[in-house]
Amino acid sequence: MSKYTTQALRSIALVGHGAAGKTSLAEALLFATGAISARGSVEKGNTVCDFDAQEKEAGHSLNSAIVNFGYEDTRVHLIDTPGYPDFAGPAIAALAGVDTALIVINAQTGIELMTERMMRHAAERKLCRMIVINKIDAENLDLPGLVADIRERFGKQCMLLDLPAHGAADVVEVLEHDAGDADFESVAAVHRALIDQIVEEDEDLLARYLEDGADPAAADLHAPFEKAMREGHLIPILFTSAKTGAGIRELLHVLASLAPNPAEGNPPPFYKGEPGGETEAFHAEPDAAKHVLAHVFKIVADPYMGKIGVFRVHQGTVRKDMQLFVGDGKRPVKVAHLYLLQGKDSVEVDELLPGDIGAVAKIDEIDFDCVLHDSHDEDHIHLVPLEFPKPMAGLAVETKKKGDEQRLFDIIGKLAMEDPTFVIERHPSSNETVIRGLGEIHLKAKLARMAAQYKLEVDTKPPRIPYRETITGAAEAMYRHKKQSGGAGQFGEVHLRIEPKGRGEGFEFVDAVKGGVIPGVFMAAVEKGVRQGLEGGVVAGYEVEDLKVTVFDGKTHAVDGKEVAFTIAGRKAVVEAIRNAKPIVLEPIVNIEIVVPEAAIGDLSGDLSGRRGHITGTDGRGHGFAAITGEVPLAELNDYQSRLKSLTGGQGSYTIEFARYSAVPPNVQQQMAGKFQLRDEDE
């Protein structure tokens, strides 16, 4: 039996920008609770969470790591996540496994890119949020200014739960104390403001508070405190120094006494049905006696343990040796071993309760984002997927050694299985295998792992830009495929109509044929042909998207009607229709953030304008640096890293995130169309 009940479990994700000290904070919490006997450091490469050789060399997290510890009769599951934008995938994925997001801010650098992004992602997931200002031991800080900035960016609901004291040597808690010394602000005033905010969540408590003026008992404040966090009316701010230990005990007390247990947080957004069809919300109850429902939010391809699925239990009890279904699978799999994770180490356990985070190994059927359950009653249940940034940075890869092609596909397949923001594309027209990620550093890390762990060396080059084509008007077309060669012939005739859909709405195929003029058995062949026509493009050889194709008429032949004939007719008809529907070429536009020395802003702004980009804002980052934000076509960024290095003396960095597809300028489309026609003629 588990030592802890579900009510005693807490699940926390440490998120925020790189160098905020998340890994050091996790180390300090583990040390303070006795989970480890000595505190490691990122600089020495001996922390529990950054255990991978690549992470030790890089000096920062590349993946999420799961640890747990006991404190005040609770067990805390803690996920330490990467903080740099290139490794946002594992950080966002971790949000599906927790009830609370702890947004860690570096007291020296303040609110940075990933601070805002992770705050937004956590809010969209309706997680309880807390802010931890770390590194309060650093010199020349403006903590009052940082608190003001937090409130300006994230709202007045961001309220102080403790305050630094005695020159940041320790902190004073303000929920249960209305007096004491603090480095700034008045403990009494902060205490009063916090109590006023909390009691507003409970009408009876508010009435008693207004009547007698006395502070409610701590036990009476717990429920309204939880409600305020659930509804986003309260985001507590805490202060720590992972280096000196200041605020660590106070943070632990808050996690144990105020962070929500699985029954107190907002319920996970499960639904029953299939994506794209009719669905209904499904409420998972954190009841150990009910059917099992668990969600896999992390996959690890381990060289020794094989495929590891890391999951959060939302309902029921997962036990060793039990049978579980994976997704909608018809055959159950056996849970031969059940683990709690402590960094790189795994501890075998007999059972996991609702709220626990655990892992199973060597079950090939498990994939990222799948649901585990023990009854067919829970078939077709899914968790609403998280929104990940679209991987736009790309490299075309090929093996140095002939004959390693299959190994390449196997290895990059394993890497993609682990990371939802690392994808593989195969382009038959250019014979390119392209890997895509969130940035140059992201892709370099994947290539380094391929070389170090899998001993595979590859050559790389810039890939083709993922242009798309679409239509701006409606059109109709028909095509009759007729072939006679002595014996049985081929015959199929297709009439179809195409019309544009909104950007990003994808492809829709509609069968509007009446009277059986195209037999139902051939309609799948027509759709296959239509899709083939869309894949090859019409203007410049790129996939056509965001259109509706309606097949409304056709003909067949009792003897010569064949699937192949209707496939060809569907393909030729849709190509002809697209030619008459005012087709255009779309290019990917990305949001870009460039962090540079302030002196380089003018040069960078001019360079970005020369790349058909435009600036949307600038923001001071302190220490002589500023961030430039804007939009730019992805096609203009092929050589941007070297250009940025040249303009900033190596001090600049940038991140990109997919924004939308937009029409290329007419002169660019004309050039692309000319090249495509030439290539087509050659073929």
Side-chain angles (χ1 to χ4, degrees):
M1 290 291 291
S2 174
K3 175 184 173 184
Y4 299 95
T5 64
T6 289
Q7 287 68 32
L9 297 177
R10 309 286 183 268
S11 55
I12 314 290
L14 294 175
V15 299
H17 201 80
K22 298 183 296 296
T23 300
S24 298
L25 190 59
E27 197 77 6
L29 294 169
L30 289 167
F31 178 67
T33 57
I36 56 176
S37 58
R39 187 169 59 184
S41 71
V42 173
E43 293 75 19
K44 293 179 180 178
N46 60 349
T47 63
V48 175
C49 292
D50 283 357
F51 54 84
D52 183 82
Q54 271 188 276
E55 292 177 316
K56 294 178 182 180
E57 184 179 347
H60 61 80
S61 301
L62 303 176
N63 216 320
S64 60
I66 294 94
V67 296
N68 67 89
F69 52 82
Y71 188 75
E72 291 184 0
D73 297 323
T74 64
R75 174 154 73 194
V76 177
H77 293 282
L78 188 74
I79 308 179
D80 177 33
T81 69
Y84 289 104
D86 279 36
F87 306 99
I92 296 170
L95 299 180
V98 300
D99 298 310
T100 303
L102 226 58
I103 295 94
V104 184
I105 297 177
N106 186 337
Q108 296 172 290
T109 53
I111 297 170
E112 299 175 89
L113 176 64
M114 284 295 284
T115 316
E116 293 189 295
R117 285 187 182 176
M118 295 310 295
M119 178 68 88
R120 184 182 74 247
H121 283 296
E124 289 171 351
R125 202 63 178 182
K126 295 186 178 179
L127 296 179
C128 295
R129 290 164 288 161
M130 299 184 185
I131 293 172
V132 174
I133 299 175
N134 192 31
K135 302 189 178 183
I136 60 171
D137 57 298
E139 297 180 357
N140 302 318
L141 300 180
D142 179 13
L143 294 179
L146 176 53
V147 171
D149 193 21
I150 289 170
R151 286 173 172 161
E152 183 178 343
R153 301 273 192 105
F154 304 131
K156 294 180 180 179
Q157 66 269 33
C158 299
M159 304 192 70
L160 296 165
L161 195 56
D162 59 32
L163 285 165
H166 310 115
D170 51 35
V171 302
V172 56
E173 191 275 334
V174 299
L175 180 61
E176 299 178 15
H177 299 87
D178 61 0
D181 297 325
D183 293 343
F184 68 94
E185 296 275 9
S186 157
V187 172
V190 172
H191 168 84
R192 186 59 48 219
L194 185 61
I195 296 293
D196 289 348
Q197 181 82 354
I198 295 170
V199 296
E200 287 183 1
E201 302 294 329
D202 186 316
E203 291 185 4
D204 292 338
L205 188 64
L206 176 61
R208 294 201 306 270
Y209 175 64
L210 293 174
E211 184 177 337
D212 57 32
D215 286 349
D220 292 334
L221 288 172
H222 181 86
F225 188 96
E226 300 291 349
K227 182 183 177 186
M229 285 209 298
R230 275 198 311 275
E231 298 182 358
H233 299 163
L234 174 62
I235 303 174
I237 301 174
L238 301 104
F239 295 86
T240 63
S241 167
K243 181 179 179 180
T244 67
I248 296 300
R249 288 286 174 186
E250 288 77 7
L251 175 58
L252 283 168
H253 177 69
V254 167
L255 297 182
S257 62
L258 295 175
N261 66 45
E264 293 171 327
N266 284 317
F270 281 104
Y271 68 91
K272 191 160 190 172
E274 292 302 323
E278 289 189 13
T279 63
E280 59 178 334
F282 181 88
H283 180 62
E285 297 182 42
D287 184 339
K290 288 187 173 290
H291 284 311
V292 168
L293 202 64
H295 174 258
V296 176
F297 64 87
K298 178 180 169 70
I299 295 287
V300 180
D302 187 270
Y304 305 107
M305 296 179 66
K307 192 176 188 179
I308 299 173
V310 183
F311 60 89
R312 156 75 182 263
V313 184
H314 290 281
Q315 178 178 288
T317 303
V318 179
R319 294 184 174 88
K320 180 182 175 182
D321 294 328
M322 80 183 307
Q323 304 278 332
L324 289 178
F325 295 99
V326 180
D328 298 334
K330 300 305 178 188
R331 293 184 177 180
V333 296
K334 183 179 179 181
V335 180
H337 302 280
L338 197 57
Y339 302 100
L340 284 177
L341 298 178
Q342 195 75 325
K344 67 178 179 180
D345 297 323
S346 53
V347 180
E348 196 158 353
V349 294
D350 292 329
E351 66 177 23
L352 295 172
L353 301 176
D356 271 324
I357 293 175
V360 291
K362 298 181 180 178
I363 299 179
D364 290 338
E365 293 86 347
I366 285 183
D367 290 309
F368 175 78
D369 206 30
C370 72
V371 170
L372 308 178
H373 54 103
D374 63 349
S375 164
H376 282 305
D377 291 345
E378 279 70 47
D379 283 349
H380 308 293
I381 290 179
H382 307 273
L383 195 64
V384 172
L386 290 153
E387 185 177 340
F388 291 94
K390 188 171 184 177
M392 297 304 298
L395 285 173
V397 296
E398 59 182 26
T399 58
K400 287 181 179 287
K401 184 179 175 183
K402 198 169 183 180
D404 274 349
E405 290 81 8
Q406 189 56 50
R407 281 194 69 221
L408 171 64
F409 290 123
D410 291 343
I411 291 166
I412 59 179
K414 288 180 180 178
L415 298 180
M417 174 181 71
E418 294 180 318
D419 187 343
T421 57
F422 178 75
V423 299
I424 307 157
E425 298 173 358
R426 179 69 182 164
H427 299 284
S429 59
S430 60
N431 201 31
E432 281 187 336
T433 298
V434 177
I435 56 173
R436 292 200 181 275
L438 298 184
E440 183 182 6
I441 299 173
H442 189 198
L443 294 179
K444 280 185 175 180
K446 299 299 183 186
L447 295 173
R449 186 170 171 203
M450 288 166 61
Q453 181 175 332
Y454 296 103
K455 312 301 180 190
L456 181 68
E457 299 284 346
V458 296
D459 290 321
T460 64
K461 62 181 180 181
R464 294 178 75 195
I465 298 297
Y467 293 102
R468 295 288 185 266
E469 297 179 20
T470 194
I471 56 173
T472 58
E476 291 185 2
M478 68 78 67
Y479 189 85
R480 176 186 296 164
H481 176 73
K482 184 176 181 181
K483 184 177 181 182
Q484 197 71 38
S485 56
Q490 297 175 4
F491 184 91
E493 182 177 312
V494 171
H495 297 243
L496 54 77
R497 179 187 311 111
I498 64 173
E499 51 193 300
K501 297 186 71 175
R503 193 81 76 239
E505 291 185 6
F507 165 66
E508 181 183 358
F509 182 84
V510 177
D511 174 6
V513 170
K514 296 180 180 178
V517 292
I518 299 179
V521 293
F522 293 141
M523 193 53 70
V526 175
E527 182 176 356
K528 178 182 177 182
V530 167
R531 290 183 181 273
Q532 288 177 353
L534 301 183
E535 287 175 4
V538 172
V539 180
Y542 296 96
E543 184 177 351
V544 187
E545 62 179 23
D546 298 336
L547 76 165
K548 178 180 179 181
V549 177
T550 303
V551 179
F552 61 87
D553 201 359
K555 289 182 182 178
T556 188
H557 187 277
V559 176
D560 294 344
K562 300 282 195 312
E563 284 189 11
V564 64
F566 281 100
T567 298
I568 294 170
R571 182 175 73 246
K572 297 279 190 178
V574 80
V575 167
E576 181 63 26
I578 291 170
R579 287 190 174 124
N580 297 324
K582 301 177 184 176
I584 59 172
V585 178
L586 303 172
E587 65 179 339
I589 306 296
V590 296
N591 295 320
I592 188 168
E593 181 178 85
I594 317 163
V595 178
V596 297
E598 290 177 341
I601 288 178
D603 291 339
L604 262 297
S605 300
D607 185 73
L608 202 62
S609 297
R611 295 171 184 268
R612 296 193 287 127
H614 73 274
I615 292 170
T616 56
T618 58
D619 182 28
R621 285 293 167 85
H623 304 281
F625 279 79
I628 303 171
T629 54
E631 290 187 339
V632 63
L634 180 64
E636 300 288 343
L637 295 178
N638 269 346
D639 64 340
Y640 197 64
Q641 187 65 40
S642 57
R643 180 62 174 160
L644 183 61
K645 184 177 181 180
S646 172
L647 290 174
T648 65
Q651 292 184 288
S653 63
Y654 77 99
T655 60
I656 59 174
E657 185 177 40
F658 175 75
R660 66 185 185 283
Y661 271 95
S662 183
V664 301
N667 64 314
V668 175
Q669 176 163 323
Q670 191 172 4
Q671 293 171 6
M672 296 173 75
K675 291 178 182 178
F676 177 61
Q677 289 164 359
L678 286 173
R679 186 171 67 247
D680 203 31
E681 290 169 3
D682 290 340
E683 293 172 355

